[in-house]
Amino acid sequence: MENEKQLEQFEAKINADSKIEPKDWMPEDYRKHLIRQISQHAHSEVIGMQPEGNWITRAPSLRAKLILLAKIQDEGGHGLYLYSSCETLGISREELIEQLHNGKAKYSTIFNYPVLTWADVGAIGWLVDGAAIVNQISLQRTSYGPYSRAMVRICKEESFHQRQGYEIMGKLALGTPEQKEMAQDALNRLWWPTLMMFGPHDADSAHTGKAMKWKIKRETNDELRQRFIDKTVQQAEIIGLTMPDPELKWNAEKNKYDHGKIDWEEFKRVVNGDGPCNKKRMDNHLKAHDEGAWVREAATAYAAKQVKEQVVA
Amino acid sequence: MTKQEALFSYCLRLGDNSLILGHRLSEWSSKAPIIEEDLALTNMALDLIGRSVAILKYAAEVEGKGHTEDDLAYRRPERKFYNNLLVEQPNGDFAVTIVRQFFNSTFEYLLYEELMKSKDETLAGIAAKTIKEIKYHLRHATDWMLRLGDGTPESHLRAQKALNDMWMFTDELFEMNEVDEILIKEGITVDLNMLKANWSKKINEVILESTLTVPTSTFMQTGSRQGIHSEYLGYIIAEMQYLQRAYPNAKW
Ligand SMILES: [Fe+2]
Ligand SMILES: [Fe+2]
Ligand SMILES: [Fe+2]
């Protein structure tokens, strides 16, 4: 009885577009879905630091190096901020990281692709951060208060990243023939994996139903993907790059671009661990975690000694 | 050596110290013990590389050959880099990075406080802007010296080993040559010998408070004032300069 009443109140709030806050009652499924989604988002920010991080020491100018360093720090900050949001649901960061390590929690498949050239760094900012923004702007209206506020804060920085990435691509595309080739190659390799970031088609998406009903998600995978395609195609044209999709065409009737088939077999493979860099990313995260254990222990031991001294004094 | 040549060379020394240490710290990205520390180390890298941009830009101006800060960072060969050997040493474990930072930030704090009073307005301006960052770097390194030294038996051992291993690079920080002689006379820089006693006092205090021991070994490395480095620098330069060297006509 009690539960039914609470559920009614909860759904009334959702329907009225009020935010759910940490202390409010919420169905266990709502909590679980949020933990899965927010932690996946947090892990993506953190694992996403690795592919670009590859290029800090090789960035081709001091200015490019500073921008890249700052961007990667922003992503780490987003990760921290999202871990905190997730902790309001009653789970600790240690547990979340444990779930990443044992494979229970996932991160975005895009970060399992290698960043091979400097153009890939530009393409990531342009495409991957560009895709992230579309998703995150939509999530600013998510029903869970802490998650919604995190998205508002993060979106501003993501749009800087997108512009900086596009600037790199523009310089390459309008540069020497070798640079242009580098840019086109990056677009060819990263376009399709970027489209996969939005997840399976609505008809095949396991989690969309309740998530939409509870307004965790506000728009479907396909809606978001379409918005991303529509804004990005023109940006490629402006700098003279060609989209690696011969079926990509403006559909005047539907007022949107039609696109070719996404290789969902590849998506499944990469989600389930068999992408080019899954092992490398996880090994690196585990290695840093293990090698840092003695440092974390030292900090804890030192802090405990300080508390003791204070008590004695 | 003219005053202009001395100033150019001095700016390279300052700029290279910032750039190379920034490079090393940036290598910690996605490798630190916790995210907060990942961000702290790479944020210091950002400070240092940012400072190197300002100084190398000024160096290029003083040189007067139409070069840019990027030309100086990306097209100079390893024998023409003048950073101290300390800052090019590999990151090692977290203790090595902290000790390297602690030695260097203590030194930089004393040096840049003096440079704020330099008769060269550009250097004085850069010093005034950078001193706040250096204070933060020093506090960060000092806090970690205490935690590592007085943390667990393992962290204590690692911190002591790092102190012992980095010790031989500390004398070079205070080495001077003709460049310093000329610029001291001009009131542009300070006599590094005058900073040494203060440096020793400060680091001794922290090392003792960390329950660690000040190394007593007297063997000291030298060479960077002549552009003679450890073998590590060549790899840093190769990595850093690769794109500019591979595509000499490209703009990025
Ligand atoms: Fe991101
Ligand atoms: Fe982000
Ligand atoms: Fe971003």
Side-chain angles (χ1 to χ4, degrees), chain B residues 11 14-15 18 47-48 50-59 61 112-113 115-118 120-134:
Chain B
C11 287
L14 292 179
S18 307
D47 289 345
L48 284 157
R51 189 205 301 165
S52 80
V53 172
I55 298 174
L56 291 178
K57 194 171 176 186
Y58 183 48
E61 209 179 295
Y112 278 79
E113 254 199 346
L115 286 178
M116 282 168 64
K117 298 178 242 161
S118 172
D120 184 297
E121 280 176 19
T122 308
L123 283 184
I126 292 170
K129 193 167 166 275
T130 206
I131 197 84
K132 276 183 231 125
E133 293 167 355
I134 294 172

Side-chain angles (χ1 to χ4, degrees), chain A residues 17-62:
Chain A
D17 269 339
S18 317
K19 298 288 179 221
I20 306 298
E21 294 300 331
K23 281 182 189 143
D24 296 344
W25 183 90
M26 61 187 85
E28 260 326 285
D29 270 1
Y30 180 81
R31 186 187 300 277
K32 267 192 208 147
H33 189 106
L34 276 171
I35 289 177
R36 186 177 58 239
Q37 183 167 333
I38 301 175
S39 72
Q40 173 167 339
H41 197 160
H43 296 322
S44 300
E45 300 282 359
V46 171
I47 297 293
M49 296 164 75
Q50 288 187 38
E52 294 177 286
N54 267 318
W55 280 88
I56 299 170
T57 56
R58 289 178 290 173
S61 74
L62 293 171

Side-chain angles (χ1 to χ4, degrees), chain B residues 144-180:
Chain B
W144 274 110
M145 287 299 293
L146 295 172
R147 289 189 197 115
L148 297 184
D150 197 15
T152 64
E154 179 177 6
S155 70
H156 180 89
L157 278 177
R158 284 178 185 260
Q160 187 62 55
K161 181 169 187 329
L163 276 175
N164 298 345
D165 289 352
M166 290 294 109
W167 187 247
M168 66 179 164
F169 301 108
T170 53
D171 243 23
E172 198 196 37
L173 301 174
F174 302 93
E175 259 179 40
M176 293 191 287
N177 58 15
E178 200 190 343
V179 168
D180 300 77

Side-chain angles (χ1 to χ4, degrees), chain B:
Chain B
M1 184 179 275
T2 65
K3 177 190 158 192
Q4 183 204 9
E5 285 164 346
L7 184 57
F8 174 60
S9 173
Y10 192 71
C11 287
L12 290 181
R13 193 198 297 171
L14 292 179
D16 291 348
N17 273 314
S18 307
L19 180 60
I20 300 300
L21 185 57
H23 182 103
R24 279 297 189 215
L25 288 174
S26 79
E27 292 173 344
W28 272 102
S29 185
S30 288
K31 295 195 183 75
I34 47 169
I35 310 178
E36 283 84 346
E37 220 26 62
D38 211 287
L39 299 183
L41 293 169
T42 51
N43 194 43
M44 291 191 278
L46 196 60
D47 289 345
L48 284 157
I49 295 168
R51 189 205 301 165
S52 80
V53 172
I55 298 174
L56 291 178
K57 194 171 176 186
Y58 183 48
E61 209 179 295
V62 171
E63 187 195 24
K65 290 186 181 165
H67 289 145
T68 65
E69 62 272 26
D70 276 343
D71 295 331
L72 291 177
Y74 286 89
R75 300 295 172 94
R76 246 184 317 148
E78 46 273 65
R79 287 279 281 105
K80 297 221 160 109
F81 271 74
Y82 297 103
N83 59 278
N84 293 311
L85 299 177
L86 176 68
V87 299
E88 72 201 31
Q89 297 311 305
N91 288 338
D93 65 7
F94 189 71
V96 169
T97 289
I98 291 300
V99 165
R100 188 184 64 198
Q101 201 65 18
F102 169 62
F103 285 157
N104 189 68
S105 295
T106 307
F107 170 72
E108 278 188 345
Y109 175 67
L110 297 169
L111 174 62
Y112 278 79
E113 254 199 346
E114 293 299 322
L115 286 178
M116 282 168 64
K117 298 178 242 161
S118 172
K119 282 198 176 142
D120 184 297
E121 280 176 19
T122 308
L123 283 184
I126 292 170
K129 193 167 166 275
T130 206
I131 197 84
K132 276 183 231 125
E133 293 167 355
I134 294 172
K135 278 184 192 162
Y136 166 73
H137 300 179
L138 181 56
R139 194 170 349 119
H140 174 268
T142 304
D143 286 349
W144 274 110
M145 287 299 293
L146 295 172
R147 289 189 197 115
L148 297 184
D150 197 15
T152 64
E154 179 177 6
S155 70
H156 180 89
L157 278 177
R158 284 178 185 260
Q160 187 62 55
K161 181 169 187 329
L163 276 175
N164 298 345
D165 289 352
M166 290 294 109
W167 187 247
M168 66 179 164
F169 301 108
T170 53
D171 243 23
E172 198 196 37
L173 301 174
F174 302 93
E175 259 179 40
M176 293 191 287
N177 58 15
E178 200 190 343
V179 168
D180 300 77
E181 267 171 47
I182 294 171
L183 298 183
I184 290 168
K185 272 193 208 130
E186 298 282 342
I188 291 176
T189 188
V190 282
D191 186 341
L192 293 176
N193 285 319
M194 304 211 331
L195 307 183
K196 178 125 202 220
N198 223 340
W199 182 85
S200 299
K201 184 167 162 273
K202 281 181 182 291
I203 64 137
N204 282 8
E205 278 168 14
V206 175
I207 292 173
L208 293 184
E209 202 190 332
S210 309
T211 72
L212 296 161
T213 311
V214 181
T216 50
S217 155
T218 54
F219 170 65
M220 289 289 163
Q221 296 280 0
T222 178
S224 77
R225 297 289 181 270
Q226 288 79 46
I228 295 174
H229 290 269
S230 54
E231 290 175 343
Y232 300 114
L233 185 72
Y235 291 94
I236 295 179
I237 302 287
E239 202 172 325
M240 182 170 73
Q241 297 182 343
Y242 128 76
L243 278 172
Q244 290 245 0
R245 299 272 193 197
Y247 304 95
N249 302 317
K251 292 207 164 48
W252 309 88

Side-chain angles (χ1 to χ4, degrees), chain A residues 45 75 129 132 158:
Chain A
E45 300 282 359
E75 306 300 4
D129 288 80
E158 299 294 9

